[in-house]
């Protein structure tokens, strides 16, 4: 089941201008081992949307040090304010006008949609670790010595030479 985008004018008619979504499904283009589970709350504040999420899933990552695969739990506990463009004064596309600091934040049209699934996808990607290590005791793979009788793969020769230079 796909999470349907929220039509912002309808959100104003909800109790407290808020919609609470229970999430228990896969998110498009987010490769996970388990479905994303949690809650997303979207509140219309007149000139802004307040979006909060508590959700989690498990992803498979590849260690930067030993190149082995490992599973990592990703958890979100986040809140974001998205501004609504009530003035509509900028009818010139962003690619054709000079940008100000105000243009560097995300702005939604007040009569548009908020795509919850895309927002969740972005939040989980921001939650991915910058450095992937399978554990604190992870060791880099050992480079074999280049003795002819040990079945040494010649493709490792340059790395073996570097290793000898540093020893």
């Amino acid at each position: 089941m796909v999470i349907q985008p929220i039509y912002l004018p309808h959100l104003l008619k909800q109790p407290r201008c808020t919609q609470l979504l229970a999430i228990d499904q896969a998110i498009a283009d987010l490769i996970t081992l388990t479905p994303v589970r949690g809650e997303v709350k979207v509140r219309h504040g007149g000139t802004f949307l307040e979006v909060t999420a508590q959700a989690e899933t498990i992803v498979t990552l590849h260690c930067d040090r030993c190149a082995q695969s490992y599973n990592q739990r990703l958890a979100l506990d986040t809140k974001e304010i998205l501004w609504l463009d009530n003035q509509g004064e900028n009818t010139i596309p962003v690619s054709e006008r000079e940008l100000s600091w105000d243009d560097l934040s995300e702005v939604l049209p007040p009569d548009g949609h908020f795509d919850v699934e895309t927002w969740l996808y972005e939040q989980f990607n921001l939650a991915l670790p910058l450095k992937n290590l399978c554990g604190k005791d992870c060791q880099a793979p050992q480079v074999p010595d280049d003795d002819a009788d040990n079945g040494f793969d010649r493709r490792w020769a340059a790395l073996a030479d570097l290793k000898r230079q540093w020893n």
Side-chain angles (χ1 to χ4, degrees), residues 142-147 150-153 156 160 163-164:
Q142 296 297 315
V143 178
D145 292 329
D146 61 352
D147 295 339
N150 72 357
F152 178 71
D153 186 340
W156 286 97
K163 181 180 175 186
R164 272 194 298 277

Side-chain angles (χ1 to χ4, degrees), residues 113-167:
H113 291 81
F114 174 64
D115 190 342
V116 177
E117 189 167 4
T118 298
W119 184 82
L120 277 171
Y121 172 83
E122 292 167 351
Q123 297 305 310
F124 273 109
N125 275 285
L126 289 170
L128 288 169
L130 296 176
K131 188 174 185 180
N132 297 332
L133 293 177
C134 61
K136 64 180 182 179
D137 298 329
C138 175
Q139 297 294 319
Q142 296 297 315
V143 178
D145 292 329
D146 61 352
D147 295 339
D149 61 346
N150 72 357
F152 178 71
D153 186 340
R154 299 300 309 162
R155 293 174 289 183
W156 286 97
L159 191 54
D161 288 341
L162 282 172
K163 181 180 175 186
R164 272 194 298 277
Q165 289 176 9
W166 288 96
N167 287 333

Side-chain angles (χ1 to χ4, degrees), residues 81-99:
I81 301 294
L82 302 170
W83 297 106
L84 300 176
D85 183 18
N86 286 327
Q87 285 128 28
E89 62 190 39
N90 285 328
T91 57
I92 301 170
V94 173
S95 61
E96 297 179 15
R97 62 183 157 99
E98 188 173 327
L99 296 177

Side-chain angles (χ1 to χ4, degrees), residues 39-42 50-55 75-81 119-120 122-124 126-127:
E39 282 187 344
V40 176
K41 181 172 84 170
V42 182
E50 178 183 31
V51 186
T52 58
Q54 291 82 35
L76 291 182
D77 188 5
T78 189
K79 176 180 173 180
E80 184 175 13
I81 301 294
W119 184 82
L120 277 171
E122 292 167 351
Q123 297 305 310
F124 273 109
L126 289 170

Side-chain angles (χ1 to χ4, degrees), residues 83 101-107:
W83 297 106
W101 283 106
D102 293 335
D103 292 323
L104 300 178
S105 62
E106 188 169 2
V107 177

Side-chain angles (χ1 to χ4, degrees), residues 13-60:
K13 298 174 183 172
Q14 298 287 329
R16 295 188 185 104
C17 299
T18 302
Q19 186 166 349
L20 187 63
L21 301 165
I23 309 295
D24 188 6
Q25 66 185 62
I27 300 295
D29 298 324
L30 185 66
I31 300 170
T32 61
L33 294 175
T34 62
V36 172
R37 292 185 176 99
E39 282 187 344
V40 176
K41 181 172 84 170
V42 182
R43 183 179 72 83
H44 198 303
T47 59
F48 63 91
L49 286 184
E50 178 183 31
V51 186
T52 58
Q54 291 82 35
E56 64 180 32
T57 191
I58 298 174
V59 296
T60 299

